[in-house]
Amino acid sequence: MITIGIDPHKSSLTAVAVQPSGEVSATIRLEVNRDTVALLRAWAQQWPPRQWAVEGAAGLGRGVTQGLSAADEPVVDVPAQLAARARLLNTGHARKSDPIDAAAVAMVAQHHRRLHPVHAEDDSLVLRLLSERRDDLAAERTRTANRLHALLRDLIAGGAKRNLTADQAAALLRGVQPMTAVDTQRKQLSRELVADLRRLDAALARSSDDIAAAVFVPGSGVRVDPAGAANAESG
């Protein structure tokens, strides 16, 4: 079986077809754009039994990797460290070039049976992305609320309770009469943080709605727990 190694870059990639014997059959360099995967597959039609190996399939190679996987092409992810070791063993030196790197990636795939196969992204990834976004927003809101609490503690005698809503904090600020330039600045910053809280609360609400909409797609097999986090459910 021919193994096609791919050395991806931001705007281009190099693919090298390597025989089981290690002999290079062909090399192609392509710009990375919407036609790249189709051009690669058309070029590879001359080797019906084939597999693909991509260095950094989750990094610079993610686009071409996902395109190939979605087209039912078998693809494995080759760690950069293994590719560098193969290049050194094969060439006897550490000098790099795109064709040498791509060939090294193919050779790693030929000799390492524990490489991770790459699967096309499915709808479950949508929930993970939305859940990560919600976690980021929640963490940002906590940091904002903590900064606001610290300012209110200095502005208000006895401080303010924790876990204030934006409306509660705004009501407290309306009663603050700054006596110094420093307190005037504290009040201004507090107002800005209250505005940030309102923005984050709105974003969190939209995020929860987005998760719920993604979850209740027929056949998704996923539910949302009371906290709004996405959880996979078997069956």
Side-chain angles (χ1 to χ4, degrees):
M1 179 187 294
I2 279 282
T3 300
I4 302 173
I6 295 180
D7 178 39
H9 296 277
K10 186 175 182 179
S11 59
S12 68
L13 63 81
T14 298
V16 174
V18 178
Q19 298 282 351
S21 63
E23 179 184 357
V24 172
S25 292
T27 301
I28 189 173
R29 183 181 182 278
L30 296 170
E31 293 183 3
V32 174
N33 54 44
R34 67 179 64 184
D35 299 321
T36 304
V37 171
L39 293 172
L40 273 175
R41 296 187 69 222
W43 172 73
Q45 289 304 311
Q46 56 192 302
W47 306 292
R50 61 181 177 267
Q51 66 170 345
W52 301 79
V54 181
E55 181 179 353
L60 287 176
R62 191 195 68 82
V64 68
T65 300
Q66 285 300 314
L68 291 169
S69 296
D72 294 326
E73 298 276 358
V75 188
V76 294
D77 181 16
V78 174
Q81 184 178 8
L82 288 180
R85 188 181 306 166
R87 182 180 66 248
L88 179 61
L89 291 174
N90 188 52
T91 64
H93 57 75
R95 290 193 298 274
K96 291 169 58 67
S97 76
D98 292 347
I100 288 175
D101 289 352
V105 170
M107 291 175 186
V108 170
Q110 288 176 336
H111 296 97
H112 288 74
R113 302 304 177 190
R114 294 186 178 181
L115 297 177
H116 294 294
V118 179
H119 302 291
E121 296 173 345
D122 58 21
D123 291 345
S124 64
L125 183 59
V126 173
L127 286 174
R128 193 182 81 184
L129 292 172
L130 291 173
S131 182
E132 289 174 353
R133 169 62 174 162
R134 190 180 192 284
D135 289 344
D136 289 342
L137 288 170
E140 185 179 352
R141 191 195 187 284
T142 298
R143 290 192 296 270
T144 301
N146 288 340
R147 290 195 295 270
L148 177 59
H149 180 266
L151 288 171
L152 292 175
R153 182 185 58 209
D154 293 332
L155 283 171
I156 300 172
K161 69 176 184 178
R162 289 191 173 275
N163 302 319
L164 288 173
T165 66
D167 287 343
Q168 289 170 335
L172 287 175
L173 281 173
R174 284 194 290 272
V176 171
Q177 299 297 325
M179 302 298 293
T180 67
V182 174
D183 279 349
T184 297
Q185 186 60 65
R186 286 192 178 106
K187 184 173 182 179
Q188 178 57 36
L189 291 175
S190 296
R191 284 174 171 167
E192 293 176 6
L193 289 171
V194 168
D196 289 341
L197 280 184
R198 295 190 194 281
R199 172 182 59 81
L200 290 166
D201 286 340
L204 281 164
R206 289 194 302 271
S207 179
S208 294
D209 290 343
D210 290 342
I211 290 175
V215 163
F216 294 112
V217 174
S220 65
V222 187
R223 64 179 174 83
V224 172
D225 67 19
N231 295 282
E233 230 181 19
S234 59

